[in-house]
Amino acid sequence: MAFKIIVCAKQVPDTNVIKINPKTGTLIRDGVPSILNHDDANALEEALKIKDQYPDTHITVVTMGPPQAKDLLLECLAMGADEGVLVSDRAVGGSDTWATSNTLEAAIRKIGEYDLVFAGRQAIDGDTAQVGPQIAEKLHLPQVTYVEKFSIDKNLKDITVQRQLEDGYETIKLKTPCMLTAIKELNTPRYMTISGIFTAQKKPIHVWNAKDIGVDLTTVGLEASPTNVFRSFTPAPKGKGIVLEGDTEAEVSKKLLVNLKAKHVI
Amino acid sequence: MNFQLTKEQEFVRKMVREFAVNEVEPLAADIDKEHRFPKETVEKMAKYGLMGVPFPAEVGGSGGDHISYAITVEELSRVCASTGVICSAHTSLCCWPIFNYGTEEQKKKYLPDLLSGKKLGAFGLTEPNAGTDAAGQQTTAKDMGDHYLLNGAKVFITNGGYADVFVVMAMTDKSKGTRGISSFILEKGDEGFSIGKTEDKMGICASSTTELIFQNVKVPKDRLLGNVGEGFKVAMSTLDGGRIGIASQALGIAQGAFDVTVDYMKARKQFGKKLSQMQALQFEMANMKTQIEAARLLIYRAADSKDKHLPYGPQAAMAKLFAAETAMYVTTKAVQLHGGYGYTKDYPVERMMRDAKITEIYEGTSEVQKLVISADIFK
C-alpha cells in the first residue's frame, strides 16, 4: 500500500523584505510577498525525498489561510506534492496556536489515512513552534520535534531521526504513524520544476471551510483563542559592536580571548 | 489584450529567479574571469527543466510557453549572461528547428535527450565569409547517393565546444543561391567533424564560442533536416525565434545592471547624501527603467505571438533591436553611476557592460534587425 504523508505548511510574509511599524510594533504586510515558510519547505523536501525513493508515496499538503494561500499549495504541487488542502474560513481567522491546531487536526482527520505527518518546526512570522506538537497531541501521535536527520526503513514503518538539542542531539527510533517537525539542517529544499509548474493546476486542490472539516466552532478563531498578543515591540539596539584589529590572526585571537575573559564569557 | 502574466508564468519567474540567485550568481564573476563553461550549472538547469521550457511534454519538453522561456533566459541573464545564452542557443537554435522541421524519427531520436538537457545543442550558420550575408555559404554538402558529404567550416558557434547535437547549414546546390542551402543534423563524434579554435571574447566569457570544421563528413540521409533546398528557410525562421531568446538575454542583462545600481545608489553617499536622493541621478534611473519595461513588453508580445502561431518575425526583430540597445544603454549608465568602482571587476556592472555588447551583434546585428523590420514595412 502506498505510503501516505501529510505535510503541514504555512504561507508567511517574506521576512527579508518585511518592515515593522515602529509605533504599533506590528508587521506592515502591504505589498510584502508571501512565501512558503522555510521550515515547512524542509518538511516537504523530506517527504519528496521519500517519494523519490518510493514513487508510490502520496503527499498531501494542508494549509490554513485566506483564499490566496492556494498559491502556496500550487507551489508545493509544482515541487512534486500530489494533492493540496486549503482550510479557509473567516470563522478560523485570528486563531492562536491552540485554535489553529484544532482546525488542522480536524482537516487531517478529514483527509483520513496517513502514515506520517510532517510539519516545519515553526513559522517565521510567529516563531512559536507550538502548532506541530499540538497537532500531534490532538491526533494522539508519537512526535519528535527539531528533526535534523531522517531515515526510514524499507518496510516504511521504522523511522530513525536525529533530534537537534542546544548542546548535542538525540537519536530516536519510532514507528509510523507519527508526527515530525523539521528544521533547516534537515535538507535543502528543491525548486519547483518547469514541468511541475505547468502540471500543478491539474492536480487536486480541495478548499474546505470550517463546516467541511466538522471542527467545533467554539474551539477556533480569535474569540476561542486562549492567548492574545497584547503588545509587540522591537528590542532597543544593543549599540555598536567592538572591532578588534591586529596585524596577525594570532594577535587578534589573543585580544578576543582577553576580552571574553574580562567579560567572564570564558 | 492582457498584460498580466499567468500564474504559471509568475511561478516560472519566481522559480528561475531563486535558481539564478542561488546557483548561477555565485559563479558568475569567477567563470567570467576563468573563461570557464559552467557544466555543473547546465546539469542543474537540466534537472529543473530549464533546457526544454517551450516544448510540449509529449516530445519530452517541460510543457511551458515562449513567454515562460523568455522569462527563463531573462532571469538567468539577470545574474549571468553567459548562462543565459547557453540556454537560449540550445533551446531556440537547436531544439526548435528539430521540433519544427524534424521528421517523427528525428524528433524521437533527438528531442528527449536535448529537452531533458542530457545533451546540449548548437547551431551552425555563420562562416568566415558569411555573417550578415548568410546566403554566402561556402560549406558544401554533396549528395553521394546514400549519404551527404560535408566540407567547410563554421565560426562563432555558441555552445560549440560542449554540444552533442548541431543543426548545420550547407550548400547542396550553389547555382540556386539561398534556395540551394539545406540543413543537417550533425552529432559530436561524426567522423571528420571537429571543433576548431575557441574564441577569446570581450564578454559572455563563460559561454563556449568555437569553430566547427567539416572534412569529408559522411552525413546519413536521414539527418537532412527539412527538405533539400529549405535550409535558408529553416535558418531564418530559427533565427526569428532565437531573437526572442537573445532579446530576453539583453533584457536580463539590463535588469541585472539596473537592480545592482539601485542597491548601490541606496548605499553610496557623496556630498552628505545618498546617490538615490539626487534628482539628476533619479531621473537617469527613471529613463533606464522606462526603456527596460518597453523592451520587456516588446519581447513578451513577440513571444505571445509565437505561442499563438501568429507572424512574429518583425516583432522579434524589433524586440531584439530595442532590447540590445537598452542593454548597452543601461549597462553603460550603470557603470557611470557606480563611478570608478563600476570600472573594476569588484562590481558586476563591469562584466554586464562587456556582456551587453554582443546582444547588438549576434542572432543578427542591429542593422540586420532594421533590414527585417524595414522589409516588413515596405513589403
Side-chain angles (χ1 to χ4, degrees):
Chain A
M1 207 183 72
F3 192 67
K4 288 190 171 151
I5 307 174
I6 293 173
V7 175
C8 302
K10 184 179 184 186
Q11 193 180 40
V12 292
D14 187 349
T15 47
N16 283 327
V17 292
I18 206 161
K19 288 184 179 140
I20 292 172
N21 182 331
K23 282 182 191 156
T24 59
T26 53
L27 303 178
I28 303 169
R29 287 177 188 254
D30 285 348
V32 176
S34 295
I35 57 167
L36 168 60
N37 180 49
H38 296 166
D39 289 345
D40 303 346
N42 295 110
L44 175 60
E45 174 60 28
E46 207 59 31
L48 290 167
K49 279 166 78 178
I50 299 172
K51 190 176 167 72
D52 291 342
Q53 212 180 340
Y54 304 99
D56 272 358
T57 302
H58 187 91
I59 302 171
T60 304
V61 180
V62 58
T63 190
M64 179 180 120
Q68 56 268 33
K70 202 175 157 189
D71 281 0
L72 166 131
L73 294 176
L74 281 171
E75 186 174 343
C76 295
L77 296 176
M79 287 165 77
D82 300 287
E83 197 171 344
V85 171
L86 167 63
V87 182
S88 192
D89 196 319
R90 285 194 180 279
V92 300
S95 290
D96 70 354
T97 62
W98 181 79
T100 298
S101 61
N102 287 337
T103 306
L104 289 173
E105 176 212 352
I108 291 170
R109 285 192 193 280
K110 183 174 163 77
I111 293 167
E113 285 176 30
Y114 53 84
D115 300 284
L116 177 60
V117 182
F118 226 132
R121 167 191 51 173
Q122 65 190 35
I124 54 173
D125 57 348
D127 271 353
T128 66
Q130 291 170 1
V131 175
Q134 288 176 6
I135 292 171
E137 285 302 309
K138 289 169 185 173
L139 291 170
H140 307 292
L141 290 175
Q143 62 168 304
V144 179
T145 52
Y146 298 85
V147 171
E148 61 179 2
K149 266 189 191 170
F150 171 93
S151 65
I152 187 162
D153 188 86
K154 284 196 297 288
N155 66 13
L156 294 175
K157 288 204 179 322
D158 296 309
I159 288 173
T160 308
V161 296
Q162 191 166 301
R163 176 172 190 261
Q164 190 185 69
L165 302 174
E166 270 187 36
D167 54 353
Y169 61 83
E170 293 173 339
T171 302
I172 300 168
K173 288 190 172 185
L174 70 166
K175 283 196 187 303
T176 59
C178 59
M179 169 133 194
L180 306 173
T181 73
I183 58 174
K184 69 173 189 295
E185 286 79 2
L186 181 59
N187 52 44
T188 306
R190 66 194 64 191
Y191 305 100
M192 295 181 270
T193 64
I194 302 292
S195 62
I197 289 170
F198 283 91
T199 49
Q201 304 224 22
K202 291 172 195 135
K203 293 181 180 176
I205 291 183
H206 314 282
V207 182
W208 292 339
N209 59 26
K211 204 176 143 197
D212 293 328
I213 57 173
V215 69
D216 178 352
L217 287 175
T218 64
T219 66
V220 295
L222 185 65
E223 288 295 310
S225 294
T227 61
N228 266 310
V229 178
F230 69 96
R231 188 172 79 92
S232 59
F233 60 95
T234 311
K238 286 178 182 168
K240 262 193 172 175
I242 303 166
V243 177
L244 300 173
E245 285 177 1
D247 292 334
T248 63
E249 284 173 12
E251 195 184 327
V252 182
S253 308
K254 200 173 166 190
K255 283 185 184 170
L256 176 64
L257 283 174
V258 170
N259 266 281
L260 291 175
K261 275 188 180 154
K263 291 181 191 305
H264 304 288
V265 178
I266 53 173
Chain B
M1 200 159 195
N2 185 357
F3 289 102
Q4 302 304 312
L5 294 182
T6 63
K7 186 65 73 191
E8 285 94 342
Q9 290 158 354
E10 276 178 27
F11 273 27
V12 169
R13 187 184 299 286
K14 179 179 158 76
M15 180 263 150
V16 186
R17 170 78 57 105
E18 283 175 14
F19 179 88
V21 168
N22 296 331
E23 315 291 339
V24 182
E25 191 172 15
L27 301 179
D30 288 346
I31 58 176
D32 170 69
K33 203 170 173 183
E34 296 158 12
H35 292 227
R36 183 173 72 75
F37 184 89
K39 241 182 147 176
E40 68 276 38
T41 309
V42 177
E43 277 169 24
K44 287 182 200 166
M45 283 156 62
K47 186 175 157 193
Y48 287 101
L50 303 186
M51 300 304 275
V53 174
F55 301 99
E58 297 77 60
V59 294
S62 300
D65 51 26
H66 280 87
I67 292 183
S68 297
Y69 164 58
I71 292 170
T72 301
V73 176
E74 176 189 338
E75 289 297 332
L76 292 171
S77 304
R78 198 179 74 92
V79 298
C80 176
S82 293
T83 305
V85 76
I86 293 168
C87 174
S88 179
H90 165 87
T91 308
S92 285
L93 301 187
C94 183
C95 301
W96 188 81
I98 295 176
F99 172 71
N100 201 58
Y101 292 102
T103 60
E104 282 310 310
E105 289 73 32
Q106 286 170 337
K107 287 194 220 179
K108 268 187 202 148
K109 182 174 175 191
Y110 294 104
L111 289 180
D113 282 352
L114 282 169
L115 301 182
S116 63
K118 277 190 201 120
K119 288 190 172 167
L120 187 68
F123 172 79
L125 170 69
T126 303
E127 296 186 3
N129 295 313
T132 294
D133 181 12
Q137 298 283 304
Q138 288 179 359
T139 296
T140 56
K142 207 171 164 189
D143 190 342
M144 306 298 281
D146 63 339
H147 66 270
Y148 289 93
L149 198 64
L150 250 75
N151 276 292
K154 300 287 173 184
V155 290
F156 303 145
I157 306 308
T158 304
N159 291 346
Y162 292 85
D164 307 282
V165 180
F166 300 75
V167 171
V168 171
M169 306 301 142
M171 274 286 180
T172 38
D173 187 348
K174 265 188 185 168
S175 67
K176 290 187 178 163
T178 54
R179 288 171 194 267
I181 300 172
S182 302
S183 63
F184 299 89
I185 303 171
L186 269 84
E187 296 175 12
K188 180 174 146 184
D190 280 340
E191 207 179 326
F193 172 30
S194 59
I195 306 301
K197 180 187 159 205
T198 297
E199 300 296 339
D200 186 5
K201 309 184 294 292
M202 170 199 271
I204 54 164
C205 296
S207 78
S208 164
T209 310
T210 69
E211 283 182 323
L212 308 180
I213 299 165
F214 314 106
Q215 290 170 305
N216 292 322
V217 185
K218 282 186 183 175
V219 181
K221 286 240 152 155
D222 62 5
R223 296 227 229 120
L224 175 75
L225 183 61
N227 296 318
V228 176
E230 235 186 26
F232 194 69
K233 184 178 128 192
V234 172
M236 291 304 115
S237 60
T238 298
L239 289 175
D240 280 344
R243 281 167 194 148
I244 295 174
I246 296 307
S248 306
Q249 184 202 23
L251 170 63
I253 296 169
Q255 185 69 56
F258 181 85
D259 291 346
V260 295
T261 304
V262 169
D263 291 344
Y264 182 80
M265 288 174 68
K266 284 181 182 167
R268 173 76 168 166
K269 275 186 185 168
Q270 291 285 275
F271 305 105
K273 268 206 293 194
K274 288 177 183 167
L275 299 192
S276 59
Q277 294 167 319
M278 299 176 181
Q279 196 176 49
L281 307 188
Q282 289 173 347
F283 280 16
E284 291 277 18
M285 294 299 280
N287 281 336
M288 287 153 76
K289 176 142 196 190
T290 305
Q291 281 223 23
I292 290 171
E293 281 301 320
R296 182 171 286 123
L297 289 174
L298 281 171
I299 295 167
Y300 292 180
R301 185 189 61 159
D304 186 49
S305 294
K306 187 166 168 65
D307 281 327
K308 291 180 174 145
H309 305 288
L310 297 168
Y312 70 94
Q315 290 179 359
M318 284 185 263
K320 199 269 191 183
L321 170 67
F322 190 76
E325 288 182 351
T326 299
M328 265 325 280
Y329 163 70
V330 170
T331 54
T332 308
K333 287 284 180 199
V335 168
Q336 191 68 21
L337 286 160
H338 278 69
Y341 293 110
Y343 198 64
T344 70
K345 290 187 192 294
D346 293 342
Y347 287 80
V349 288
E350 179 271 342
R351 164 171 50 88
M352 292 165 170
M353 185 174 159
R354 284 186 287 111
D355 289 347
K357 184 61 203 171
I358 190 60
T359 65
E360 291 186 324
I361 299 172
Y362 63 11
E363 227 96 335
T365 58
S366 289
E367 292 72 18
V368 163
Q369 309 312 321
K370 289 175 192 174
L371 278 178
V372 172
I373 298 160
S374 51
D376 183 60
I377 300 171
F378 299 109
K379 64 188 171 193

